[in-house]
Amino acid sequence: MMSPSAVLSQQDVPAAEAENQANQAAAPKLTGVRLKIPLPISGTVDTDVKKSLQKLLSRLADKDERPIVILEIEGDPDGKSRGSEFERSLAIARFLTSKEATRLKTVAYLKGPIEGHAALVPLACEQIVMHPEAQLGNAGIDEASISTTMRHAYEEIAGFRNVLPPQLALGMLDPGLEIYHVNDRRFVSGEEYAKLKDEGQVATSEKLVPRGQMALFTANQLRQDLQLISHVSENYRQLAAMLEIPENQITQDLGLNRDWKAARFVMDGEISNRMVQRTSLSMQDAVTGGVNFMLIELKSQGGDPVACENMVNFLLGLPDSVHTVALITEEASSNASLIAMACDEIAIAPNANLGGEGSYHYTQQGRVDLENYLSKISVEAKRSWSIWGAMNDPELKVFRYERPGTTLTKYLSEREATELADPQEWKQGPEITQPDAALQLTGTQALDWGVADAGAASVSDITRRYGLPDELEIPKQNWAHQFVEILAKPSLAMFCLFIGVIALISEFKAPGVGIPGFVAVMCFGLFFWSRFLNGTAGWLEAMLIVGGLFFIILEILVLPGFGIFGLGGGAMFITGIVLAMQTFIWPTTDYELDQVPYSLATILVLFSGMIAAAFFAKHVLPRTPFLNQTMLNAPDDEAQEEIRRRETIVDLTHLVGSAGHALTPLRPSGKAKIGHEIVSVTSDGDMIEQGEKVVVVQVRGNYAIVRSESQ
């Protein structure tokens, strides 16, 4: 209803102009909605789809034009669409052909092979658009026999829309039929063909479906050969242009029957383990809290390759119910581009940059490893990997490939071209990469080449396109995340390491008390935990640190004076600490060289802690109340004289040079029989076994120092 003020204003303009303004105000904007049909169609899929469409219908006003509903049906070579139940597929098809659904213009967008009874859904739509690699048919593949009810249902649904003729629909369903293409535009069964031929009404004919087979049509067959479908489209940008809808008016509402809960995440600056850990933890909490739509703003020149791969793996491992969109408004250079590759959709501003030189440069071996990694994840990411490899590898050559007789194009390296299912069908064209330069695309190029999925210059463009609230909040960190952030700071890690070394040496100086040892364990635990949360420490570093401490303790308490365990344990401990501060063993790139000062600082902290511990034990601990009781002070001159006097009560100097044998193993102390006397002895060097002959080389107080006679 028009407001009084509006009516009053129209009285001041000519009647024709007022009528024109009224018509413009009443004219609704042409909009589109995207609805993804889950495969196989079973369980509650039919009711969910109907609820989605009914929810959309409830939003329409009486005078609204029919919005375009794009029903996306995506199969895969593994037969994802097979197993669709006939009754549930028919229920969706009947709704699409019902009077209620006439307020919607339905377009089926098929991707991949669509087999089984899922074929009923596109037959019920007003228009069918197929991806170049899509197929449609084999509708009866899940049935042992085709019932009369099924035949009538396919005839009814196909006949209602007549996008595909009923006889072709039956040819996809029933392997007992023969289907002929007669006189250019007519499709008939084998019996009808024989009748027409007898009557002389057949000018040209072609057997499309032989008996014993079910029809399975490719996109090219239906579009070019039979001219039955309207378009072939590689992506939604092309589809929007074909349907004459502004791309930003296609609402990406992938489940209208569900209330989408969205969250926004920002990855701004250098990609580091700390950033990835923080972002992935926030995302994981968001998913646990019910978030199923994630907008990731990328503004980065790249960074740590391990961190980037960890982020990629995390995004690819999210549940299928979670939809991820990468938004690039400025740049996602170098390996930051890989994070966009892992998202379900990529939205990019026209002037933004994707790929190209950034803060990280891969080594020769790193490029080989990256190529293998991208090839491995490309199937899960559902993207060709060559373009993304060339964005990080200036030596990778990418060519434009065309399929003769079609408008299909791909951008592939020679390796990926050989990995295609039908490599002989593609012809190599010009190279799109430049020598010794990583590939960089503008937003416009990324959209034109199909690398990006949609154009967007701001967050509001995304929210409008996806039907989300205008403002998307960035999840706030809870106390646990804030604590993790504090732990992940290098300064805290260094502090824990410093105190841990002091406490450990103090425990060795005053064994048996336990307080310094407890502090050392806590400090080293916090250090390792902070490095683990930061993504630089793993099982290798843990084993080196624990193993090093074990050998050091073994040297001090069990095998004193031997040396090898103490030196080896110390080397293991220092190596583990240094590796825990970095993601590489030896720096080979500029990025890794920038991390070397932190590793050198770690070693400096270790030695500083040792010096501080020695100073503390010698000058501070003896003067500290309570703590001075935990260690023994060196005896003064009077006490030392008394000790010497007591030791000289037993004089063993006459045994020097005498021989005997060890009564116990000397490791290094024990008992030996020298002549007719049994005395306490200590080995002067190597360990001596029981029964081995020994010689007294020196006497100290009431014990003798011996050496093996064989030395």
Side-chain angles (χ1 to χ4, degrees), residues 445-485:
Q445 288 175 315
L447 290 167
D448 290 341
W449 293 7
V451 176
D453 303 292
S458 64
V459 175
S460 59
D461 288 345
I462 298 295
T463 57
R464 185 166 53 252
R465 180 178 293 113
Y466 286 82
L468 300 171
D470 292 339
E471 296 294 332
L472 290 182
E473 293 186 0
I474 299 175
K476 296 181 179 179
Q477 291 185 323
N478 56 32
W479 68 268
H481 288 174
Q482 292 174 353
F483 181 62
V484 168
E485 277 289 292

Side-chain angles (χ1 to χ4, degrees), residues 39 41 73 81 84 89 114-122 136 139 154:
L39 294 179
I41 300 174
I73 311 174
S81 62
S84 295
S89 302
I114 309 301
E115 301 177 290
H117 292 302
L120 274 168
V121 177
L136 177 63
Y154 274 78

Side-chain angles (χ1 to χ4, degrees), residues 278-506:
R278 179 176 64 247
T279 305
S280 57
L281 283 174
S282 296
M283 286 182 173
Q284 190 61 56
D285 279 356
V287 172
T288 304
V291 168
N292 49 18
F293 184 98
M294 294 183 180
L295 175 62
I296 305 169
E297 291 184 69
L298 271 175
K299 301 176 183 178
S300 174
Q301 292 188 346
D304 190 329
V306 176
C308 289
E309 289 189 16
N310 287 341
M311 194 68 215
V312 169
N313 294 335
F314 176 83
L315 291 172
L316 293 177
L318 286 172
D320 293 338
S321 58
V322 179
H323 191 67
T324 55
V325 178
L327 173 61
I328 306 168
T329 56
E330 296 178 7
E331 66 173 339
S333 305
S334 187
N335 48 16
S337 61
L338 303 182
I339 298 175
M341 177 190 178
C343 292
D344 295 320
E345 295 191 45
I346 301 172
I348 190 169
N351 296 325
N353 292 321
L354 181 62
E357 294 292 332
S359 62
Y360 185 82
H361 305 278
Y362 285 90
T363 62
Q364 188 65 40
Q365 183 59 46
R367 294 168 185 169
V368 174
D369 294 340
L370 177 65
E371 184 175 323
N372 293 332
Y373 173 72
L374 293 177
S375 176
K376 180 180 177 181
I377 67 170
S378 62
V379 175
E380 191 173 0
K382 298 179 182 178
R383 298 185 187 276
S384 171
W385 61 264
S386 297
I387 287 282
W388 305 93
M391 291 179 183
N392 294 273
D393 182 359
E395 296 182 4
L396 182 62
K397 296 181 179 180
V398 177
F399 301 86
R400 176 188 173 97
Y401 281 79
E402 298 179 349
R403 194 166 189 170
T406 72
T407 59
L408 303 182
T409 60
K410 290 180 180 289
Y411 299 93
L412 309 170
S413 62
E414 292 183 337
R415 170 183 169 180
E416 187 174 12
T418 61
E419 295 173 351
L420 293 174
D422 51 352
Q424 69 282 354
E425 300 286 335
W426 295 87
K427 181 180 179 181
Q428 186 183 99
E431 182 182 351
I432 64 168
T433 49
Q434 299 295 325
D436 301 322
L439 178 64
Q440 184 178 75
L441 303 179
T442 64
T444 301
Q445 288 175 315
L447 290 167
D448 290 341
W449 293 7
V451 176
D453 303 292
S458 64
V459 175
S460 59
D461 288 345
I462 298 295
T463 57
R464 185 166 53 252
R465 180 178 293 113
Y466 286 82
L468 300 171
D470 292 339
E471 296 294 332
L472 290 182
E473 293 186 0
I474 299 175
K476 296 181 179 179
Q477 291 185 323
N478 56 32
W479 68 268
H481 288 174
Q482 292 174 353
F483 181 62
V484 168
E485 277 289 292
I486 295 173
L487 284 179
K489 291 182 178 178
S491 57
L492 179 63
M494 294 291 189
F495 177 78
C496 290
L497 182 62
F498 182 76
I499 299 299
V501 171
I502 292 177
L504 182 64
I505 295 178
S506 299

Side-chain angles (χ1 to χ4, degrees), residues 180-191:
Y180 287 83
H181 185 198
V182 177
N183 300 343
D184 292 335
R185 300 294 297 171
R186 192 171 180 180
F187 301 89
V188 299
S189 65
E191 295 178 359

